[in-house]
Amino acid sequence: RELRKIYQDAQIFGEFSFQIIENRDGSLNSITHLPKQMVVPALENDEGEITSYWYSRNWKERRKEKYKPERIEAFTETGHRDSRVYVAKEYTPGNEYFGTPDYLAGLQYAQMEEEISNMAISSIQNGLSAGYIINIPNGDDYSDEEKADFEKEVKKKLTSSSNASNFIISFNGVDVEITITPFPVNKDIHKQWEFLTKECKSQIMTSHRVISPSLVGLDSASGFNNQAELVDTEEKQLLKRVIAPKQHFVLEPIEEVLTQYGINLNLIMKPLTQEEAILGEEIKSDNDKVESNKLN
């Protein structure tokens, strides 16, 4: 349970933290996950080392007594304490205090995809129009306050809370009547949105190092006749090239802590698909059939 939380922090923040608690005799009591968003490093010492961290359950309300930051010493190879914290992060030039997630390059495309979805919802809420221009006669005689009040009332009556597919109010001279002119719609605009949507999906998957779109439920062109065979091959590559390094990133610090307490283990993660176990059952079944045939 604690390990799942640690892996989630490692993926989201590019770093993770856990608390090391000792028994009275100095032996290891537990390794407990500390939410990374609640842990902030103290300033480096003269040697460039971070020797302690600050912990608060709510940094926005840190001035309140119940959220007052608590100082926790950092894990070191010497000098056991009742409670210490281990923070692990990949080295990033220029980032001495905080880690960087590996999907950072895809954040702009994630925001772009969000804006495209907001635009689509807003367009539906505003009648699937491209917007309007409203011309007001004798608008030059309106004061700035009157113009603002008029625009506010029109927006209140004619639009929803979203601002997409909105209108523009133009204040003109005396001889101009009130007219509402719809914006011209580009007949090929759907091609642009289709391209941007595909580009967003591609860049987001690339930033997360997704081997193939089929692994996340998207269609992908391939030369495989068997879709199950394709997914199995792609999954193996994903586990080998992407997942395994992330597993080592988390397991190595835990092994380091356990070693200090005389617990020498070579930690590994169980695979998601038990191919070896399944293969072993098939071999055992075949051997049983052979033995049965011999007896017969």
Side-chain angles (χ1 to χ4, degrees), residues 69-136:
E70 173 188 357
R71 188 184 183 95
I72 306 177
E73 295 297 321
F75 171 84
T76 56
E77 295 183 357
T78 58
H80 292 197
R81 299 180 183 273
D82 293 338
S83 177
R84 293 177 293 165
V85 60
Y86 192 117
V87 177
K89 66 182 184 67
E90 296 284 4
Y91 170 75
T92 303
N95 292 348
E96 290 80 8
Y97 292 102
F98 295 97
T100 302
D102 54 5
Y103 58 85
L104 186 64
L107 291 180
Q108 285 184 316
Y109 290 95
Q111 183 179 1
M112 184 188 301
E113 190 174 45
E114 179 184 3
E115 294 300 331
I116 291 175
S117 64
N118 289 338
M119 180 214 64
I121 294 174
S122 177
S123 179
I124 294 173
Q125 291 175 342
N126 286 305
L128 294 175
S129 70
Y132 302 91
I133 298 177
I134 301 178
N135 296 298
I136 307 299

Side-chain angles (χ1 to χ4, degrees), residues 126-148:
N126 286 305
L128 294 175
S129 70
Y132 302 91
I133 298 177
I134 301 178
N135 296 298
I136 307 299
N138 200 23
D140 294 339
D141 294 337
Y142 282 39
S143 66
D144 292 340
E145 184 178 355
E146 289 174 332
K147 292 178 182 179

